[in-house]
Amino acid sequence: MRERPERPVDGPVVDPTQWLAHIRRMRAELDGLRGGSATAATTVAGDDAAAAAAHRRALLCDLLACSLSRTADYLAGLSLAAGDEEHHQADDPGPATSTPARSAVRPPDVGPMAPFPVSAGDDGVLPWRHLRRLFVEPPDRESLLPDQRGTSWAGSGADGFAGGAGGSGDGDGDGGVGSGWDSASGRDAGSGGASGSGEDSVCTSASAAVGASEAAAASAATSGSARAGCGLVASAEWHLDGGNARWSAEMYELFGRDPRLGPLPLDELPAHVADEDRSFVDELVRDLVEHANGAEGEFRIVRGDGSGVHVQFVGEPVLDADGVPHSVWVLLRDLTQLRRTQVALTRTRAQLLAQRQLVRSEHRVAAELQRVVMPWWTRPASLPGLEVATRYFPAEQASKVGGDWYDALALPGGDVLLAVGDMSGHGLVAASGMTTLRGALQGVAMTGAGPAEVLRALNRIVVHTLPADKVATAVCARFDPATRVLTWAQGGHPPPLLYRDGVGSALTAPFGMLLGAIDDPEFVEAHTELLAEDVLLVFTDGLVERRGRGTEEAVRALLDVGPQLLGSDARTCVDVVLSRLGHTRYEDDACVMAVCVR
């Protein structure tokens, strides 16, 4: 009988003993370097830097020597495997005399043509030379290879090949077809490429979990139809000379065929697959029968009730002494659940990509809007009787575009408007809400309204024009340069800090509610007389809120910087405050305004 090589070898074969000799030479050189490092360490005992360098060289030599030792052990194992190959082939009792080769033709919508990967722990994967005896005959445990003896085989006889729940995925990045089958209607549920390194492994894990639960239910209910979608493996043998055939029980389940009708003839197999896969199955059968080549691929079986099963096909011709095939062995593996899982993952991935693109677009618009309306820092502004410096800090995470805002401008009557606010939430809604409140603040203040009336107008805007889940905080002040009296009101906002003669204190906050909490709240105004050289610090809660530290502790730290603010300009006051807090990266966005009275 004609024997074929079990696996083709691409490229020259390298003798592992040559590499072992090379590794021995490298280890000898490392031993020399290590001895030199030890000598150097002894010689320069008084020089700490040189001794440390020699010690590092010695450690590096030890690390390289360990790596070379592991490589040598691996190559030694390869040498033993190469030496025992002839022995394994001589002891192989399998009668198969040919090795499946890749089919030359397959439609583009059929899955990967790579053969089943030989890996530990895959119940449905078997070496080619041990394939025949495990098709329709119960496996002999003693005849299996050592790495197969840990495989669980359910049942015996023709039913003993029920392993492989969940299928095997091609994790090398080729991906699968990603086509699923609707078992109720027999229609293709969708298709999509499932590419990416190792993605089929994820699909296989999910499919294996579903397949395990379905197999348990089938065992309890003794229902053969439930097992058809759990990744079972079926086998068949067709004798070309006599025309008879043998099918395993799983093969009847896959085709939905009554065992009393007997197996299908091999030439009728293409008539029981999906129309788009029929030509591909014709090529598989032709490769087996006419060209005496092994063939493998994926196609979809159409049952008599219209339902479909996605299977992986592996076929091997058995040749006689003249090299002519006299029988054909076929292995089918149910991949229906695996492909359905891939379809679900593909659709989920598409939805996630669309959602990510939407979030990125919203973030880009929100960030641009925020940069235009609220620059991160501005030059100190000279207003009547005041010098004002501001600074804005975005959140540490770029996705958290917040709604903090500030404003300082001279009003038509000679007064100065000072305001700082914070819109709840992040993203485009928060940024647009911040812009709305800031514009409304300026418009209402221009009419001559006091701080309390301004906050009532902002509250109505939050309640009636912004989303229902949005609230805001704000502090609004009106400074009279002639009397140096600051009239201010707040709506759920931290009170300003006043620094006078190097001593800091928090202003007593008048009554005021969170903007947007109720329809018509009450806001009370407070009056504070300021003196020359006073410094007023207004900020949002993001400045003092930090994980691992309380807000009160941060406020106390701000009050302690009073001596450093004496005689400083507004820009220097902002820098001192930020340096005192000790960080410039915030979990939430923050802004600070320093006001120096002149």
Side-chain angles (χ1 to χ4, degrees):
M1 299 178 69
R2 187 173 59 185
E3 184 73 13
R4 296 183 182 178
E6 185 155 335
R7 290 190 180 274
V9 178
D10 299 329
V13 179
V14 180
D15 186 2
T17 57
Q18 299 178 3
W19 286 102
L20 288 173
H22 184 58
I23 289 175
R24 283 194 293 269
R25 289 194 298 270
M26 295 178 65
R27 293 183 63 176
E29 295 177 2
L30 280 177
D31 291 339
L33 290 175
R34 187 186 305 167
S37 299
T39 304
T42 305
T43 305
V44 296
D47 190 348
D48 294 339
H55 179 65
R56 286 195 297 270
R57 286 195 297 271
L59 291 179
L60 181 59
C61 290
D62 292 340
L63 179 63
L64 293 176
C66 180
S67 178
L68 289 175
S69 298
R70 296 181 64 180
T71 305
D73 294 340
Y74 175 73
L75 291 175
L78 291 182
S79 300
L80 292 176
D84 292 343
E85 182 178 1
E86 229 175 36
H87 173 71
H88 288 313
Q89 291 181 0
D91 291 343
D92 183 11
T97 60
S98 64
T99 301
R102 296 191 176 191
S103 176
V105 180
R106 72 181 176 110
D109 60 337
V110 179
M113 297 188 62
F116 289 119
V118 180
S119 60
D122 193 345
D123 295 346
V125 176
L126 302 171
W128 296 109
R129 296 180 59 79
H130 292 262
L131 189 61
R132 174 179 174 178
R133 75 170 76 87
L134 296 176
F135 278 152
V136 294
E137 302 170 5
D140 182 6
R141 187 176 182 83
E142 297 301 326
S143 66
L144 297 180
L145 293 178
D147 59 346
Q148 298 173 346
R149 291 172 184 169
T151 304
S152 299
W153 302 95
S156 62
D159 293 332
F161 205 60
S168 170
D170 180 12
D172 61 0
D174 295 335
V177 179
S179 60
W181 194 276
D182 186 350
S183 60
S185 62
R187 295 175 299 175
D188 196 355
S191 62
S195 62
S197 176
E199 178 173 317
D200 277 354
S201 299
V202 179
C203 300
T204 305
S205 301
S207 178
V210 177
S213 62
E214 292 184 1
S219 176
T222 63
S223 171
S225 60
R227 295 175 56 208
C230 65
L232 78 162
V233 180
S235 55
E237 177 187 14
W238 282 276
H239 290 273
L240 304 180
D241 47 4
N244 58 332
R246 288 192 300 166
W247 276 17
S248 66
E250 291 82 4
M251 185 69 75
Y252 288 102
E253 289 186 35
L254 288 180
F255 280 85
R257 185 176 176 85
D258 189 349
R260 292 174 296 182
L261 300 178
L264 285 172
L266 185 60
D267 55 357
E268 294 184 13
L269 185 63
H272 291 77
V273 302
D275 293 339
E276 56 269 28
D277 296 340
R278 191 161 298 166
S279 60
F280 174 61
V281 177
D282 284 332
E283 290 295 333
L284 292 178
V285 174
R286 191 158 36 249
D287 283 344
L288 290 169
V289 176
E290 298 180 7
H291 305 297
N293 288 328
E296 49 89 15
E298 290 185 20
F299 55 85
R300 286 157 294 183
I301 298 173
V302 179
R303 296 169 172 171
D305 59 359
S307 62
V309 181
H310 200 126
V311 297
Q312 184 163 9
F313 174 97
V314 178
E316 178 184 6
V318 180
L319 310 181
D320 58 16
D322 299 326
V324 178
H326 66 85
S327 64
V328 172
W329 296 90
V330 170
L331 183 70
L332 292 183
R333 186 175 192 175
D334 185 5
L335 300 181
T336 305
Q337 192 62 47
L338 174 63
R339 295 306 175 221
R340 285 176 180 171
T341 304
Q342 287 180 337
V343 170
L345 290 177
T346 302
R347 292 175 179 173
T348 303
R349 172 187 289 178
Q351 295 174 358
L352 290 177
L353 290 177
Q355 183 67 22
R356 181 183 300 175
Q357 185 64 29
L358 178 61
V359 170
R360 286 178 177 175
S361 300
E362 290 184 354
H363 176 265
R364 195 161 45 243
V365 173
E368 185 64 26
L369 179 62
Q370 189 181 58
R371 277 193 294 268
V372 172
V373 179
M374 299 295 300
W376 289 6
W377 65 272
T378 58
R379 295 179 180 179
S382 295
L383 299 173
L386 301 175
E387 183 186 25
V388 180
T390 56
R391 183 75 181 271
Y392 171 80
F393 295 96
E396 182 176 359
Q397 296 183 15
S399 60
K400 290 187 175 182
V401 178
D404 288 18
W405 55 274
Y406 59 84
D407 203 357
L409 73 156
L411 298 175
D415 291 350
V416 177
L417 175 68
L418 303 172
V420 172
D422 184 7
M423 172 64 65
S424 65
H426 299 88
L428 184 58
V429 176
S432 61
M434 170 266 297
T435 306
T436 301
L437 293 183
R438 189 168 181 263
L441 170 83
Q442 296 177 353
V444 176
M446 287 293 181
T447 64
E453 182 61 31
V454 170
L455 291 182
R456 278 191 288 270
L458 297 184
N459 182 79
R460 287 191 293 270
I461 291 175
V462 175
V463 171
H464 297 290
T465 65
L466 297 183
D469 61 337
K470 292 300 178 184
V471 293
T473 66
V475 58
C476 180
R478 195 180 184 102
F479 177 73
D480 184 357
T483 61
R484 290 179 178 169
V485 173
L486 182 75
T487 303
W488 66 287
Q490 62 85 27
H493 201 86
L497 304 182
L498 176 62
Y499 299 90
R500 178 173 293 172
D501 298 330
V503 178
S505 62
L507 298 182
T508 302
F511 179 79
M513 295 188 64
L514 194 72
L515 302 182
I518 60 176
D519 192 11
D520 191 17
E522 180 184 359
F523 296 98
V524 179
E525 293 182 350
H527 304 277
T528 303
E529 184 177 354
L530 301 180
L531 303 178
E533 305 301 325
D534 282 354
V535 176
L536 195 68
L537 190 68
V538 192
F539 54 90
T540 60
D541 55 1
L543 185 71
V544 293
E545 290 179 350
R546 189 179 185 186
R547 186 175 298 146
R549 184 179 65 180
T551 303
E552 295 80 4
E553 181 183 352
V555 172
R556 286 195 299 268
L558 291 179
L559 294 176
D560 293 340
V561 302
Q564 304 176 43
L565 303 183
L566 282 173
S568 301
D569 57 14
R571 180 65 179 274
T572 303
C573 292
V574 173
D575 294 339
V576 170
V577 167
L578 299 180
S579 63
R580 182 65 180 86
L581 293 177
H583 65 90
T584 57
R585 299 180 68 86
Y586 299 88
E587 298 174 6
D588 192 6
D589 57 336
C591 67
V592 58
M593 174 188 291
V595 181
C596 296
V597 182
R598 295 294 179 239

